[in-house]
Amino acid sequence: MKPLRIALTKGRLEKDTVAALERIGLDCTQVREKGRRLILPVGNGEIEVVLAKAADVITYVENGVCDLGVVGKDTIMENGSHFFEILDLGFGRCRFALACKKGVDFFGGYKAKTVATKYPNVARQFFESRAMDVRIIKIEGSVELAPLLGLADGIVDIVETGATLRENGLEVVETITQISARLIANTASLKLRKAEIEALASQLERSIAENRGEKTV
Ligand code: PRP
């Protein structure tokens, strides 16, 4: 049988994902020693790992070229979901927040506000839920620059430790929602390879619970 193919988000989530796979007994040596390779066998070859950018993980899973994916809830919220979200993996914890320059009353005044973000859909939904008319400007990275340079009144971004905000004289105005990494599945794969996917998901789920237990002891 073809290996079960999992798209992993490169970078921030990569280390924790590999650790989670190793905890359930899958040999990830090839991923750890990947060099510049992007498709790697895991375990005894029953699983194949694909390393991709977060938004591309969703594209590969939605289009069925990967059966499963590991991606942050932030990317899921921004990019929609024509797939099944099957497990909260518990790592990659951070939050979506609205932030602005320290001491500024973001909600004050009558002038329409401008907000910079890498997540325009998330930002739009948040302000719509507040019935606030806000101009949203898409920024590709280091969004914290926008209020500092005077391009925006605030930002909607992910906050993990809060260090980037703090070190740039910004502060959280409001937390929008909590975020963590999710295991997602292609809808057809979930039917065709149900047993394998469910077995992997339940192993991961058990290991997450055990790991959490160890940490709280
Ligand atoms: C994210 C986010 C913040 C920072 C938050 O950026 O956009 O800038 O991390 O983390 P902290 O609260 O621990 O400081 P990332 O590092 O992914 O880079 P980017 O802004 O260039 O996309």
Side-chain angles (χ1 to χ4, degrees):
M1 193 164 3
K2 273 198 312 180
L4 200 62
R5 200 182 269 161
I6 312 182
L8 303 192
T9 301
K10 283 201 285 189
R12 280 181 181 242
L13 297 181
E14 195 177 323
K15 224 175 101 209
D16 284 336
T17 311
V18 169
L21 294 175
E22 284 177 337
R23 267 202 309 275
I24 61 166
L26 291 166
D27 179 3
C28 292
T29 313
Q30 299 254 23
V31 185
R32 290 192 176 276
E33 297 169 359
K34 64 183 187 296
R36 302 291 295 171
R37 284 180 301 159
L38 299 169
I39 304 181
L40 295 314
V42 152
N44 298 316
E46 69 272 35
I47 291 177
E48 192 169 69
V49 155
V50 171
L51 294 169
K53 281 241 185 194
D56 299 337
V57 166
I58 290 184
T59 304
Y60 293 132
V61 171
E62 277 182 344
N63 285 282
V65 295
C66 291
D67 304 294
L68 295 168
V70 174
V71 68
K73 183 70 180 178
D74 53 327
T75 311
I76 294 176
M77 286 174 70
E78 182 61 24
N79 292 275
S81 48
H82 297 290
F83 50 79
F84 282 111
E85 193 184 306
I86 50 179
L87 185 62
D88 181 345
L89 291 163
F91 54 78
R93 285 192 187 283
C94 52
R95 56 186 166 137
F96 262 129
L98 167 66
C100 72
K101 281 210 253 182
K102 222 170 164 204
V104 169
D105 176 14
F106 179 85
F107 291 113
Y110 294 103
K111 217 176 102 258
K113 298 290 189 294
T114 300
V115 165
T117 187
K118 282 187 280 188
Y119 302 89
N121 292 327
V122 171
R124 195 169 302 115
Q125 269 179 27
F126 172 68
F127 290 110
E128 271 174 16
S129 76
R130 293 296 170 89
M132 269 182 80
D133 190 16
V134 167
R135 179 172 168 240
I136 291 162
I137 300 181
K138 170 92 194 282
I139 294 287
E140 295 299 330
S142 300
V143 181
E144 294 83 0
L145 280 172
L148 300 178
L149 298 177
L151 178 68
D153 300 294
I155 61 173
V156 165
D157 199 12
I158 52 172
V159 177
E160 191 181 352
T161 62
T164 313
L165 291 181
R166 223 168 22 250
E167 291 180 24
N168 290 288
L170 304 173
E171 65 184 359
V172 169
V173 175
E174 197 173 320
T175 293
I176 298 174
T177 187
Q178 301 293 329
I179 288 164
S180 58
R182 306 297 158 103
L183 182 66
I184 62 170
N186 171 266
T187 46
S189 300
L190 203 49
K191 289 193 192 108
L192 298 170
R193 308 191 70 166
K194 195 171 190 288
E196 284 165 274
I197 292 175
E198 281 181 357
L200 180 69
S202 58
Q203 272 182 298
L204 284 168
E205 195 172 15
R206 266 199 308 276
S207 136
I208 291 160
E210 280 166 20
N211 198 41
R212 200 180 295 134
E214 278 167 24
K215 279 183 183 160
T216 53
V217 169

